[in-house]
Amino acid sequence: MADKQLLLGDEAVALGALHAGLSGVYAYPGTPSTEITEYIQAHPLAAEGAVHSDWTCNEKTAMEGALGMSYAGKRALVCMKHVGMNVCMDAFMGSAMTGANGGLVVTACDDPSMHSSQNEQDSRFLGTFAMIPVFEPSDQQEAYDMTRAAFDYSESKGIPVLMRLTTRMAHSRAVVNPGDVRDQNQMHLPEHPRRWVTLPANARVRNRELIADNATFEEDACRSQFNWLSDGKDHSLGIVACGIAYNYLMENFPEGCPYPVLKVSQYPFPCRLANELASMSGKILVLEEGQPLIEKRMRGVFPTAVEIHGRLDGTVVRDGELTPDEVRKALGLEAHPAYPASQVVVPRPPALCQGCGHRDFYTALNNVLKKDYPTAQVFSDIGCYTLGYMAPLHAIDTCVEMGSSFTMAQGAAYSGVWPSVAVLGDSTFTHSGMTGLLDAVNAKANVVLCISDNLTTGMTGGQDSAGTGRIEAICEGLGVERAHIRTIVPLPKNYPDMEKVIREEIEYEGVSVIISRRECIQTLRRHAKK
Amino acid sequence: MKEDIILAGVGGQGILSIATVIGSAALSQGLYLKQAEVHGMSQRGGDVQSHMRISSDPIHSDLIPKGCADLIVSLEPMEALRYLPYLSREGWIITNTVPFKNIPNYPEMSAIEAELGRLPHVIALDVDAIAAEMHSPRSANMVLLGATAAVLDILDADLLREGIRRIFSRKGEAIVETNLQAFEAGIRFAQNLK
């Protein structure tokens, strides 16, 4: 038995996975999920057991690598932020059809209130969609315990498990009591080889099995140690509290909750327990972090005898992260006396670091475009350089999802936008930009595609970037003409040279790639200290 | 017994090293602890905060409810005021007085000082200058922690000293000593105010 440890929710998942006999973590960095993989990379058990922990190019290759490990009978963990689920959905849906051989746990970290994200999607929907069980811990100890349980469940039921965390769980520390360390599995091939070839004839059979299995999964959720129905002395209200919402509920009742409560951390939603709750109270409040998944399901379309309250009727704030204060309001309790917000305080938005190469690249780009090409549009992407949108740079016009800059620029160019410029980072390029570059080459698009290469995955804290040292070779290999792959060094003293290159490539009719390369100053500082 | 602390500052100032020392001290006493941190985009020069809860009983919420924080500990004066709605009526603000101006519309210092002046329990000190006097400009955080120790009830100063030793020991004895001296300077400043 190891000592008590102070762990982030992310780290509790990581340690739970290592102790469950993990053979590999497959992940692409993304806030708030990054620390899971980083913890495993730094842990002695990973070195001792040769646990695979290299970053992958993107979430799809991560999910597939892990599925291959599960096929071979070993235990694999996949980690990503919520929007990474969109990237790996094809493989994730496929994994429901193949099932798992070695335990397979997919961890999606959602970001309600969009602290560091572009949307608020709730990954629990994807479990329902794929007919895959979802585990949603309510605290750090449960994050540890449930990760271990998820590997057991996955292996015993032959199904991947989706572990859902939210920012507050991922990035909050608490004391965790770890358990014993279990050995990794030996390699062993699947018992049901037909499942792994999803030809229609096999997939139809498997689909019916999966539908039948879901009845079992739901009954398992009703009996799960992580779900419970507790009675209360006051039946004027019943409460469904999912995941971390349970903590906010209990925070408001230090002496214990007076109402019956259904605490839910394991899905499919335990409908039998919900019916028991409804037999205790005709009025139910649903507290769930994220979108109103359970509330909508309970509410249905037609009038019911049970009143349902939650985000949809405004009892709970419709969007954003839950807080103890929001839950307090939903419970009809009086707010604690508090000072009003200070009128002196002004917002302090994040910004590109002083001395950052993205800044110098944008400055040179602005010098050219604002002066001589007022019709130019700049399609950008996901990374630190998205902050080029902010004052005083105002350097970009779009940011949608990973890789979209290179492809949107082509659609816009075809529609008459000129100059059509795209900017993404080196890690985003290898994540989802390379295929778009091949499209551009094949279509002979008239675009200037810029890779602001800082030799790292910067936004998430400086993880290895998949294409470092090979960006020019990749572009050339994809068919960009050597003469139009231009490399510049973004520094104020180089502005004249940089601007000349940008101008020349705008004037060239065809695919140009400009690689603006200087190391991230955060990783540079770290390297200097070593 | 329970103490709720909001640690505040600007991304990159290093509020988490303060949290790490307090956390280590709390853990050594077998206390319950929850500490919600900010990672990701906001760390790039934006406002950052950490909700730190320490208790002899289990803690439910990772976030401190509004009106319930016993302390706001801030490395930057405007950032101290940002979290005012979280401060309990009896709560303390311990803040650095040196502004971090990375925005064009930073308010007048006189307005910030006036607002701090209207609050009943404030310890305001120039931790940068005190750290520089101690010839350890990079230990400004520990000066602030020292000032905090003067009003922190749940952990006494010796436990925090041990925490500093544990956290900085792998960087060598000289770094430990520098940080301890900075910590003592913070304690002295706060005690002279009392």
Side-chain angles (χ1 to χ4, degrees):
Chain A
M1 202 75 133
D3 286 340
K4 282 183 182 184
Q5 294 181 48
L6 189 55
L7 298 178
L8 292 176
D10 274 351
E11 296 171 343
V13 169
L15 190 63
L18 283 168
H19 287 178
L22 186 74
S23 292
V25 58
Y26 290 81
Y28 181 79
T31 312
S33 71
T34 314
E35 292 81 0
I36 303 173
T37 304
E38 287 184 329
Y39 186 86
I40 292 172
Q41 287 171 341
H43 199 283
L45 277 176
E48 276 169 38
V51 175
H52 174 280
S53 65
D54 294 333
W55 294 106
T56 58
C57 275
N58 64 36
E59 294 84 354
K60 179 175 182 287
T61 63
M63 181 72 216
E64 291 158 350
L67 189 58
M69 184 170 267
S70 171
Y71 176 88
K74 296 199 176 188
R75 299 188 189 98
L77 177 69
V78 193
C79 313
M80 66 198 85
K81 68 183 291 163
H82 58 331
V83 287
M85 287 299 291
N86 305 336
V87 179
C88 84
M89 266 317 273
D90 209 358
F92 180 71
M93 294 302 286
S95 75
M97 297 303 277
T98 62
N101 182 29
L104 178 55
V105 176
V106 180
T107 305
C109 297
D110 294 356
D111 190 17
S113 281
M114 296 177 267
H115 298 279
S116 219
S117 302
Q118 64 271 45
N119 76 18
E120 273 202 328
Q121 67 187 51
D122 183 333
S123 296
R124 295 177 304 162
F125 282 86
L126 305 180
T128 312
F129 186 38
M131 295 190 275
I132 283 176
V134 179
F135 283 25
E136 187 189 16
S138 67
D139 63 22
Q140 292 77 356
Q141 183 67 50
E142 262 192 3
Y144 175 85
D145 295 337
M146 291 190 83
T147 303
R148 297 190 65 133
F151 276 103
D152 291 345
Y153 195 77
S154 171
E155 223 159 273
S156 66
K157 304 285 173 171
I159 188 79
V161 170
L162 176 61
M163 181 80 121
R164 188 236 188 182
L165 267 60
T166 54
T167 303
R168 204 53 67 186
M169 168 57 55
H171 284 169
S172 177
R173 266 174 224 282
V175 178
V176 173
N177 268 314
D180 298 327
V181 183
R182 172 167 77 179
D183 286 341
Q184 294 182 30
N185 280 346
Q186 294 297 317
M187 194 194 92
H188 61 280
L189 295 176
E191 278 173 39
H192 308 284
R194 283 179 60 177
R195 284 187 187 172
W196 294 82
V197 184
T198 60
L199 272 172
N202 290 347
R204 283 185 207 111
V205 175
R206 170 60 185 158
N207 193 38
R208 289 186 199 115
E209 281 174 7
L210 186 57
I211 290 166
D213 283 352
N214 262 259
T216 315
F217 299 160
E218 186 173 322
E219 187 49 34
D220 290 342
C222 291
R223 295 164 191 270
S224 165
Q225 59 169 313
F226 304 111
N227 293 342
W228 62 78
L229 179 62
S230 58
D231 203 353
K233 58 184 188 297
D234 184 348
H235 283 200
S236 65
L237 183 68
I239 298 171
V240 177
C242 304
I244 200 169
Y246 182 74
N247 297 346
Y248 299 139
L249 171 67
M250 299 313 286
E251 177 73 24
N252 282 296
F253 295 112
E255 310 300 323
C257 181
Y259 309 112
V261 177
L262 172 57
K263 184 256 191 193
V264 181
S265 281
Q266 182 175 335
Y267 307 77
F269 185 64
C271 292
R272 181 165 59 75
L273 299 184
N275 273 292
E276 284 177 37
L277 179 71
S279 71
M280 295 174 178
S281 177
K283 184 176 163 188
I284 290 178
L285 171 65
V286 184
L287 300 173
E288 51 192 328
E289 182 83 301
Q291 294 172 299
L293 170 72
I294 299 309
E295 183 187 351
K296 219 167 204 171
R297 173 135 188 231
M298 290 176 73
R299 197 183 279 271
V301 175
F302 304 111
T304 59
V306 183
E307 257 182 66
I308 310 289
H309 298 282
R311 289 194 189 259
L312 291 170
D313 71 345
T315 305
V316 181
V317 61
R318 181 64 181 82
D319 66 338
E321 188 183 11
L322 291 177
T323 63
D325 303 301
E326 280 299 338
V327 169
R328 190 170 182 83
K329 201 163 71 185
L331 291 165
L333 300 172
E334 203 180 324
H336 301 286
Y339 290 103
S342 164
Q343 298 304 305
V344 178
V345 175
V346 296
R348 193 191 298 262
L352 288 169
C353 305
Q354 293 301 324
C356 167
H358 297 314
R359 268 185 195 260
D360 291 331
F361 174 68
Y362 278 136
T363 303
L365 186 65
N366 275 346
N367 290 348
V368 173
L369 299 183
K370 307 253 173 226
K371 183 159 162 263
D372 295 333
Y373 301 97
T375 59
Q377 297 294 304
V378 179
F379 301 88
S380 193
D381 226 296
I382 307 282
C384 282
Y385 48 88
T386 315
L387 295 170
Y389 172 76
M390 315 288 277
L393 285 167
H394 297 302
I396 67 170
D397 299 296
T398 72
C399 161
V400 185
E401 38 79 27
M402 295 287 281
S404 59
S405 58
F406 272 25
T407 32
M408 283 179 71
Q410 295 169 51
Y414 197 80
S415 309
V417 168
W418 185 81
S420 186
V421 179
V423 181
L424 50 55
D426 49 310
S427 186
T428 302
F429 174 64
T430 46
H431 179 288
S432 290
M434 296 188 296
T435 44
L437 179 56
L438 184 56
D439 276 350
V441 169
N442 289 342
K444 299 185 172 59
N446 188 17
V447 288
V448 179
L449 306 178
C450 307
I451 303 170
S452 192
D453 181 3
N454 58 3
L455 307 170
T456 191
T457 311
M459 178 104 277
T460 45
Q463 295 76 24
D464 289 344
S465 177
T468 298
R470 287 168 293 163
I471 303 288
E472 282 87 342
I474 292 169
C475 295
E476 202 172 351
L478 290 171
V480 183
E481 284 178 42
R482 190 68 199 89
H484 296 284
I485 302 171
R486 311 287 298 271
T487 304
I488 55 180
V489 179
L491 283 168
K493 65 172 184 186
N494 296 343
Y495 285 163
D497 293 344
M498 294 164 70
E499 289 167 25
K500 180 164 174 285
V501 167
I502 293 167
R503 263 173 233 281
E504 285 169 3
E505 295 311 322
I506 288 173
E507 293 300 330
Y508 168 68
E509 193 173 332
V511 179
S512 300
V513 173
I514 298 176
I515 299 160
S516 171
R517 178 177 298 126
R518 178 154 68 78
E519 187 179 357
C520 165
I521 61 154
Q522 299 286 346
T523 57
L524 184 69
R525 266 184 216 147
R526 226 176 295 159
H527 292 152
K529 274 187 195 170
K530 276 183 184 167
Chain B
M1 183 159 194
K2 176 167 82 71
E3 208 144 4
D4 286 339
I5 308 167
I6 289 188
L7 297 161
V10 180
Q13 278 192 311
I15 61 167
L16 289 183
S17 62
I18 301 178
T20 308
V21 173
I22 299 178
S24 171
L27 197 60
S28 75
Q29 294 307 294
L31 292 166
Y32 291 92
L33 182 118
K34 280 202 172 184
Q35 182 193 329
E37 301 171 2
V38 174
H39 297 219
M41 185 182 260
S42 311
Q43 286 178 295
R44 300 275 172 273
D47 56 273
V48 291
Q49 103 299 117
S50 173
H51 287 222
M52 185 157 206
R53 316 191 73 187
I54 306 168
S55 174
S56 49
D57 297 308
I59 303 161
H60 294 294
S61 170
D62 297 86
L63 294 173
I64 299 168
K66 286 185 177 157
C68 294
D70 301 291
L71 303 173
I72 292 175
V73 177
S74 181
L75 278 163
E76 208 280 347
M78 180 178 78
E79 294 308 323
L81 291 174
R82 190 181 301 282
Y83 305 100
L84 203 49
Y86 286 91
L87 189 65
S88 129
R89 293 286 182 173
E90 297 77 40
W92 281 81
I93 290 183
I94 301 98
T95 183
N96 187 11
T97 53
V98 183
F100 190 103
K101 295 185 180 177
N102 63 344
I103 44 172
N105 56 335
Y106 194 93
E108 291 296 326
M109 269 315 289
S110 55
I112 292 174
E113 284 161 4
E115 180 129 10
L116 285 169
R118 279 194 288 274
L119 297 166
H121 307 300
V122 175
I123 299 176
L125 68 169
D126 182 339
V127 297
D128 297 7
I130 295 173
E133 261 171 50
M134 309 299 299
H135 305 291
S136 55
R138 295 182 62 193
S139 308
N141 298 351
M142 294 301 116
V143 177
L144 192 65
L145 179 63
T148 303
V151 288
L152 189 69
D153 290 326
I154 200 161
L155 294 165
D156 69 31
D158 277 338
L159 292 171
L160 295 172
R161 286 183 186 102
E162 285 168 28
I164 291 172
R165 287 198 171 279
R166 267 193 301 277
I167 299 304
F168 293 100
S169 62
R170 63 195 160 86
K171 294 185 177 177
E173 187 56 26
I175 300 279
V176 170
E177 280 310 313
T178 309
N179 280 286
L180 280 173
Q181 281 166 21
F183 177 78
E184 301 304 333
I187 290 188
R188 280 196 301 277
F189 181 94
Q191 278 168 348
N192 289 341
L193 279 189
K194 273 188 167 177

